[in-house]
């Protein structure tokens, strides 16, 4: 990276691998790398992670389109995803509908997908992992 950037880092409280597999299908996420706790060249300090976390994800990175997202199972605590959302900007209504419906499967729709004064196709939801999403197509004049 040649410039400073902000990359979301998501903690899934022991469900990271399930989430990564779900996002591969739901939003065409591409896994860049994944390291399990058992793959670490240095063991975690005693008591830092539960004893059954060897096969859990210590660190992963994936891409949705050109955006990088990082993720982990964390260190055994519960996932508390609140106060933020990931916003996806699909290229057309078909992609918006497909992604929205896939992410909503097992989750909760907080604003149905539809036209708004600021977007030809916008919706909000919380997925089955507690991650909040906004699907927001750009108006045609801003898309160019």
């Amino acid at each position: 990276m040649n410039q400073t950037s902000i990359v979301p880092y998501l903690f899934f409280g022991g469900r990271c691998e399930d989430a990564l597999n779900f996002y591969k299908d739901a939003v065409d996420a591409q896994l860049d790398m994944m390291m399990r706790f058992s793959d670490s060249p240095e063991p975690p300090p005693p008591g830092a992670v539960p004893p059954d976390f060897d096969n859990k994800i210590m660190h992963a990175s994936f891409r949705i389109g050109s955006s990088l997202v990082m993720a982990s199972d964390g260190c055994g605590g519960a996932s508390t995803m609140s106060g933020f959302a990931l916003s996806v900007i699909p290229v057309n209504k078909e992609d918006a509908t497909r992604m929205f419906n896939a992410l909503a499967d097992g989750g909760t729709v907080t604003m149905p997908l539809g036209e708004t004064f600021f977007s030809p196709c916008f919706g909000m939801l919380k997925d089955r992992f507690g991650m909040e999403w906004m699907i927001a197509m750009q108006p045609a004049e801003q898309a160019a």
Side-chain angles (χ1 to χ4, degrees):
M1 292 184 177
N2 294 335
Q3 61 184 5
T4 302
S5 60
I6 294 175
V7 176
Y9 204 115
L10 310 177
F11 293 94
F12 287 97
R15 299 180 66 199
C16 187
E17 190 163 11
D18 291 338
L20 293 173
N21 289 327
F22 178 69
Y23 297 145
K24 283 180 193 178
D25 293 333
V27 291
D28 304 323
Q30 300 295 313
L31 186 64
D32 286 345
M33 69 80 61
M34 183 173 73
M35 177 184 276
R36 297 182 189 283
F37 282 96
S38 62
D39 297 330
S40 175
E42 295 180 16
V49 296
D52 62 343
F53 256 48
D54 280 356
N55 205 36
K56 296 294 184 182
I57 309 302
M58 184 173 81
H59 175 72
S61 64
F62 62 99
R63 294 186 183 279
I64 300 172
S66 62
S67 298
L68 179 65
V69 181
M70 295 181 184
S72 174
D73 275 311
C75 293
S79 176
T80 57
M81 296 192 190
S82 65
F84 69 97
L86 295 181
S87 184
V88 177
I89 302 170
V91 295
N92 57 49
K93 286 185 180 182
E94 292 77 19
D95 278 352
T97 300
R98 180 186 58 78
M99 289 180 193
F100 187 87
N101 290 338
L103 288 167
D105 183 24
T108 305
V109 173
T110 53
M111 182 176 179
L113 195 63
E115 188 171 344
T116 67
F117 70 92
F118 57 86
S119 173
C121 195
F122 177 83
M124 299 183 342
L125 61 95
K126 184 181 282 194
D127 73 23
R128 64 179 72 170
F129 300 100
M131 184 66 239
E132 294 190 36
W133 294 85
M134 294 186 293
I135 305 297
M137 277 186 61
Q138 297 297 302
E141 62 273 3
Q142 290 182 6

